[in-house]
Amino acid sequence: MDIEDIIIKRLNTALSPEEEKEFKTWLDGPPENAALYRKLEQIRLQGQDLERIRELDVDSIWEDLVKRSKQGRAPWRRKRHPVFMWSAAAALVGVCMALTVLYRPFSNREADVPGNTVKITLDKGKLELMTKGEAKHLKNKEGTIVAVQHGDTLDYGQHAAAGREASMSTIEVPYGQTFTLKLADGTYVTLNSGSSMTYPDSFGKGETRSVVLRGEAYFKVARDEQHPFVISAEGVGVEVLGTSFNLSSYTGDREVAVVLTEGSVKMYDEENAGPGREVILKPGQRGAFNRERKALSVEEADVREHTAWLEGRLVLTNTAFPEIIRKLQRTYNVEIINRYPELEDEVFTASFDVESIEEILAIFAEDTPFKFEKKNGKIMITAP
C-alpha cells in the first residue's frame, strides 16, 4: 500500500500494525511530513472533512512548509536533504489528489455534519453523530443498545453484557470540543479536542482491556488486577491496573507524555519493549517519550498544568510559540498561520480561561509585538 493510501486510511479509520509502523516511519521523516499530516488532520477534525482538502492550493501549502522549514530554528528540527524535501512534496501532491478522487464517497457518508459534532464509527463502518447535551441510545449492528448518551457522556457501563461478542468503535472529538466515555468496565475517559480513540463496547473475561488513542485524554481507570488496562498511543504503550492520569499523544508533537495524578503507570516504547526499557511513574511525575531520540524520561510535574483543560483552562509554562499555536487551534477550532518567523523561538508563560482567541493573541503581542488578523475563519500572524 502506498503512503498516500495509508495516510488517507489513517485519517478515516484505524491502521493495521504493519501499516501503522510504515506510517510512523514516514511521520518521523523530515518535519514537512508531520506538518502536512497536522494540516490534513486539522481539516478533518474541524468538521469540514474532505471538502476543504479538495480545495487545497497544493503549491502554496508546499511553499509555506518549505519557507517555514528554512526559517525555523527550533533545536529539535533535523537537517534535511533535497531528496527528502522532494519526497514530502510528492506525498503532499499525492494525498491531495487521492483525497480529491475519494471525496464523493466520504462526503455522502458525512455530508452536512456540524463542526461541533462528535463522530462515532461503529463496527462495519456505521456512523453515529453525538451532540453535547443530547440524550441518545447507541445500538450495535444487531440493533442491541450498547450505550446511552447523557449530556456530554456516553455510558457503556450499564449496557455491558457478559458473553456478548465485542465490537470495536472509534470516537472522534472535533476541535473546540471535549467528550467523555464511560467504558464497559467502568473506566472514564475524557477526550480533549482534536482527539480520537478506538475501543471495544465490552471486555471479555481473561482479556487485557485495550484501547488506541490519538490526541489527548484523561483516564480514570476502574481497578481490575486480573485485567490490565493498556493504551496504545502513537507507538507508546501505557499499562495500568487502576489509576488516574493524563495522556497526550497528538500526531506531530515531539513527545508522547503521561502525567500521573494517582496510582502507578508503566510506560514503554512499543517497538522496543522489554526489561529495562520501561519507566514506572509515581503520582506527580511526568513520563515522556521523545519521538526523535526514541528515549523515555521522567521528571516531576505540576499536575494542574497538564489537567487544566478539563476545567476549560489553558495553562502554559515556558511553552514555545509553535506549540502554543497548535494548542490554540485545537482549543478554539481556528486555523492560525504564522508569517512572522521571529516568533518561532519565543516562549511564554500564561494562564487563560474565559478569554477569546483574539484577547489571548493580543496579550502575547504586548510582550512580543506582532500583528494578527482574523478573516474567513483563519488568523494570520505577521510582523509588527
Side-chain angles (χ1 to χ4, degrees):
M1 182 180 291
D2 293 336
I3 188 61
E4 293 91 346
D5 297 323
I6 291 177
I7 294 171
I8 294 165
K9 183 177 179 182
R10 198 176 196 274
L11 286 166
N12 293 283
T13 185
L15 297 176
S16 68
E18 294 76 15
E19 292 166 343
E20 186 67 36
K21 186 175 182 179
E22 187 171 347
F23 171 80
K24 191 171 183 296
T25 299
W26 174 82
L27 192 71
D28 290 341
E32 288 76 24
N33 293 358
L36 162 63
Y37 188 78
R38 282 199 303 269
K39 190 170 189 71
L40 296 175
E41 192 173 46
Q42 178 186 356
I43 291 172
R44 175 165 175 74
L45 289 171
Q46 281 178 326
Q48 297 159 357
D49 204 44
L50 301 184
E51 177 65 33
R52 282 193 60 206
I53 296 177
R54 189 185 189 189
E55 298 172 352
L56 285 178
D57 185 338
V58 175
D59 292 334
S60 64
I61 293 173
W62 176 247
E63 182 181 350
D64 178 54
L65 294 180
V66 172
K67 181 179 179 181
R68 288 196 291 115
S69 70
K70 291 179 179 178
Q71 294 172 333
R73 296 183 296 277
W76 60 273
R77 293 183 177 177
R78 292 182 290 178
K79 185 176 181 180
R80 292 169 298 283
H81 299 283
V83 64
F84 292 138
M85 301 285 280
W86 181 88
S87 298
L92 174 60
V93 174
V95 170
C96 291
M97 289 179 64
L99 286 172
T100 299
V101 173
L102 293 176
Y103 168 71
R104 187 173 302 280
F106 282 109
S107 64
N108 288 340
R109 187 182 68 174
E110 300 185 6
D112 301 321
V113 176
N116 63 348
T117 301
V118 174
K119 304 173 186 177
I120 298 181
T121 305
L122 304 175
D123 195 22
K124 305 298 183 183
K126 180 183 178 183
L127 182 69
E128 292 285 348
L129 306 178
M130 301 281 172
T131 301
K132 294 174 71 170
E134 290 185 342
K136 185 175 183 178
H137 289 168
L138 193 67
K139 298 180 180 180
N140 62 13
K141 57 186 178 182
E142 286 80 23
T144 303
I145 296 176
V146 295
V148 176
Q149 179 190 359
H150 301 288
D152 63 350
T153 300
L154 184 62
D155 184 356
Y156 285 83
Q158 59 181 302
H159 289 280
R164 186 179 68 205
E165 182 180 356
S167 61
M168 302 300 293
S169 299
T170 298
I171 182 171
E172 298 176 66
V173 179
Y175 280 18
Q177 301 291 319
T178 61
F179 201 77
T180 299
L181 292 176
K182 181 182 179 184
L183 300 180
D185 65 337
T187 293
Y188 281 89
V189 184
T190 299
L191 290 107
N192 202 355
S193 56
S195 302
S196 67
M197 189 175 80
T198 300
Y199 58 95
D201 61 9
S202 64
F203 295 101
K205 291 184 177 180
E207 294 181 357
T208 298
R209 298 173 289 168
S210 300
V211 301
V212 178
L213 174 70
R214 279 185 263 160
E216 184 172 27
Y218 185 83
F219 291 82
K220 189 173 183 180
V221 178
R223 188 165 189 83
D224 185 347
E225 296 185 1
Q226 303 302 316
H227 303 92
F229 194 96
V230 178
I231 306 162
S232 178
E234 298 289 318
V236 173
V238 177
E239 182 176 333
V240 303
L241 298 177
T243 184
S244 299
F245 57 94
N246 193 78
L247 171 56
S248 181
S249 61
Y250 284 108
T251 300
D253 283 358
R254 282 187 296 165
E255 295 180 328
V256 175
V258 175
V259 176
L260 186 62
T261 56
E262 61 180 56
S264 64
V265 162
K266 179 170 71 174
M267 185 178 181
Y268 54 90
D269 178 1
E270 290 180 324
E271 291 186 358
N272 297 289
R277 297 176 178 174
E278 59 191 37
V279 296
I280 306 297
L281 301 182
K282 299 178 181 179
Q285 290 184 329
R286 177 182 184 269
F289 176 74
N290 185 290
R291 299 176 193 264
E292 185 169 320
R293 294 188 288 106
K294 309 292 184 184
L296 287 163
S297 61
V298 179
E299 62 182 2
E300 299 301 314
D302 183 352
V303 173
R304 294 173 298 177
E305 174 186 343
H306 298 278
T307 59
W309 64 270
L310 293 167
E311 302 171 351
R313 296 186 296 118
L314 178 63
V315 178
L316 308 168
T317 303
N318 294 324
T319 306
F321 195 70
E323 183 178 349
I324 291 174
I325 287 180
R326 292 195 293 271
K327 288 179 179 290
L328 292 176
Q329 288 182 136
R330 292 192 291 257
T331 302
Y332 289 90
N333 188 21
V334 63
E335 182 177 357
I336 303 175
I337 302 171
N338 180 23
R339 300 289 190 185
Y340 186 35
E342 280 74 6
L343 291 172
E344 294 288 310
D345 294 330
E346 295 293 332
V347 296
F348 296 89
T349 296
S351 178
F352 305 101
D353 48 19
V354 298
E355 290 85 355
S356 66
I357 182 69
E358 292 86 357
E359 290 172 329
I360 290 176
L361 290 174
I363 291 172
F364 288 139
E366 289 179 5
D367 180 87
T368 304
F370 60 85
K371 294 180 180 179
F372 66 91
E373 180 183 12
K374 186 174 183 180
K375 187 176 181 181
N376 299 325
K378 297 181 182 181
I379 292 179
M380 184 74 70
I381 295 175
T382 55

